């Protein structure tokens, strides 16, 4: 992965006040860019966040023959009249999870493809067995290598695929494969995150036939072709929650334009349990502290549960709440690695345990993974020099620095900037004392 563009210097202890605009969701826009491969007609996407991850995906598409034109700051026109290559260069191996989602579209366009594998990362193993098993059920011939996977299929056929766990990526992969497959595909135990629903809306506009049942069953009736589309990506509920946590943790008040309450129901409940509040504004939501902060028990889960990507800012917020909180991470086995720097360098009181301390015994039960955190507070945080290990931990560190007395430096900012649009300008706009220095 590329080097940091710059480091951040943050002087904390200032309540953040003001307004920011929510960006489009990284985890929707990047998949929608992949979906444009399903047609040879032009597609126009609005609300695309200007983040490193989008640049990466556009680079991948360009390698496959996609013409990319930015029509405005957040509007991009992409068109792939002809898929000129069936493989992506190995430089994309281990980079992100997008190439594996291209398998279905590339099979439909060219009958074969070789895509780089995503590789492990600092939050857990993140295998792709569900993706490959589902595509195999749909008739794909798969040769799984160490760095790439080779897939062939004359035409994919509909199948009944039951996912062992409601995986976001596997659901998207199967959707993208099923829309042009022969016959009907049923994906049961599917993920139904708002970003997936947004992908379904886009595919439906392109001509796809998809139904989502309330029991996590998605039924896709394959069609023979899809057309161009104009679509606006949903706002990023992870970025919105991050700014909400920042408002409450610093005892400030931040209005996030574009924030949607219907995508944040579970988050808002958790925020209120801790002492945060929100009010609806003309074009979004405003977040602030409603009362002194108190401990809460939180368990991450699949939608409509509490997102694993909200876990990091909430954990930092809980260091400022009175009492002992429990955060039980049930999606990823290893998503608390970032807590160590908070404890050792900043003075947070976070104890990790392998036990499931939430309402349910999760998939990581009795498997030796430190996946539950006990957080005691309130603890004044000390400024520190922090190194970001992954994207969502990145905002957690920024938030910790915003709360801490003194000036912290943060490196590893390339991870944060993969998923947050212009975080420095947005934080400065709400009064954060943040500057950058060359890396
Ligand atoms: C997506 O990852 C997001 N990434 C993640 O956000 C997010 O945390 C996650 O969904 C959960 O909401 C993107 O959208 C690019 P999963 P994804 O498949 O699709 C296991 C961020 O920072 N699993 O729902 O990879 C897996 O190991 C990122 O923006 C298998 O075992 O997540 C995990 O425990 C981080 N086999 C669980 O399922 C499989 O084949 C959920 O993963 C697939 C998944």
């Amino acid at each position: 992965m590329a080097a940091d563009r710059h480091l951040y210097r943050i002087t904390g202890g200032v309540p953040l006040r003001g307004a920011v605009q929510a960006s489009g969701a990284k985890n929707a826009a990047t998949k929608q860019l992949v979906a444009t491969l399903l047609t040879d007609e032009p597609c126009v996407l609005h609300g695309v966040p200007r983040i490193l991850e989008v640049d990466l995906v556009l680079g991948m598409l360009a390698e496959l023959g996609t013409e990319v034109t930015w029509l405005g700051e957040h509007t991009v026109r992409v068109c792939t009249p002809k898929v000129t290559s069936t493989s992506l260069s190995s430089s994309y191996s281990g980079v992100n999870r997008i190439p594996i989602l291209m398998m279905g579209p590339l099979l439909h366009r060219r009958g074969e493809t070789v895509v780089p594998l995503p590789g492990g990362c600092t939050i857990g193993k993140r295998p792709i067995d569900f993706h490959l098993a589902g595509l195999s059920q749909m008739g794909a011939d798969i040769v799984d290598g160490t760095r790439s996977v080779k897939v062939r299929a004359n035409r994919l056929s509909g199948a009944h695929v039951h996912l062992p766990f409601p995986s976001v990526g596997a659901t998207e992969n199967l959707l993208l494969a099923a829309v042009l497959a022969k016959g009907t595909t049923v994906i049961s135990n599917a993920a139904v995150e708002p970003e997936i629903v947004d992908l379904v809306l886009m595919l439906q506009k392109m001509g796809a036939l998809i139904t989502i049942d309330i029991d996590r069953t998605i039924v896709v009736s394959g069609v023979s072709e899809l057309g161009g589309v104009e679509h606006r990506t949903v706002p990023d509920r992870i970025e919105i929650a991050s700014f909400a946590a920042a408002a409450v943790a610093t005892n400030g008040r931040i209005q996030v334009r574009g924030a949607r309450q219907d995508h944040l129901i579970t988050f808002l409940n958790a925020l209120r349990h801790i002492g945060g509040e929100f009010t609806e504004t003309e074009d979004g939501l405003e977040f602030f502290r409603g009362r002194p902060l108190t401990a809460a028990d939180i368990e991450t889960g699949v939608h409509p549960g509490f997102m694993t990507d909200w876990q990091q800012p909430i954990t930092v917020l809980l260091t400022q709440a009175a009492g002992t909180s429990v955060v039980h991470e049930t999606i990823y086995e290893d998503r608390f690695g970032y807590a160590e720097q908070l404890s050792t360098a900043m003075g947070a009181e976070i104890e990790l345990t392998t036990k499931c301390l939430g309402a349910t015994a999760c998939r990581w039960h009795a498997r030796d993974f430190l996946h539950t955190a006990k957080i005691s507070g309130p603890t004044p945080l000390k400024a520190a020099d922090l190194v970001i290990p992954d994207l969502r931990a990145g905002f957690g560190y920024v938030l910790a620095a915003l709360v801490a007395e003194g000036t912290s430096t943060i490196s590893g900012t390339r991870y944060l900037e993969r998923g947050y649009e212009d975080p420095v300008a947005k934080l400065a706009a709400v009064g954060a004392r943040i500057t950058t220095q060359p890396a």
Side-chain angles (χ1 to χ4, degrees), residues 36-42 79-82 109 225-228:
T36 67
L37 285 172
L38 289 162
T39 175
D40 56 9
E41 292 184 7
C79 184
T80 317
K82 195 165 178 282
R109 296 289 294 268
E225 61 176 1
L226 294 175

Side-chain angles (χ1 to χ4, degrees), residues 8-33:
Y8 300 165
R9 284 174 69 80
I10 297 177
T11 304
V14 183
L16 301 187
R17 291 180 191 283
V20 290
Q21 174 67 46
S23 293
K26 158 184 154 304
N27 291 344
T30 48
K31 325 297 174 66
Q32 290 164 359
L33 287 169

Side-chain angles (χ1 to χ4, degrees), residues 9 25 46 155 195 238 262 290 314 333 359 385 398 402 412-413 429:
R9 284 174 69 80
H46 300 285
R155 183 167 181 205
E195 295 76 21
I238 309 174
D262 58 339
I314 281 292
E333 65 271 37
D385 297 330
V398 166
L402 289 167
T413 55

Side-chain angles (χ1 to χ4, degrees), residues 26-28 30-31 53 97-98 123-132 165-170 172 191 193 237-238 302 307-309 330-333 335 363-364 390-392:
K26 158 184 154 304
N27 291 344
T30 48
K31 325 297 174 66
E53 192 79 350
R97 309 188 65 74
I98 299 304
I123 62 175
K125 266 182 79 184
R126 304 185 78 184
I128 57 162
D129 49 337
F130 306 163
H131 300 238
L132 298 182
F165 185 81
S167 153
V168 169
E172 291 161 342
E193 267 63 5
R237 62 197 172 111
I238 309 174
V302 292
M307 283 185 97
T308 170
D309 304 284
T330 76
I331 302 295
Y332 292 113
E333 65 271 37
R335 218 174 183 184
R363 289 174 301 146
W364 318 122
D390 68 80
L391 165 55
R392 303 302 167 195

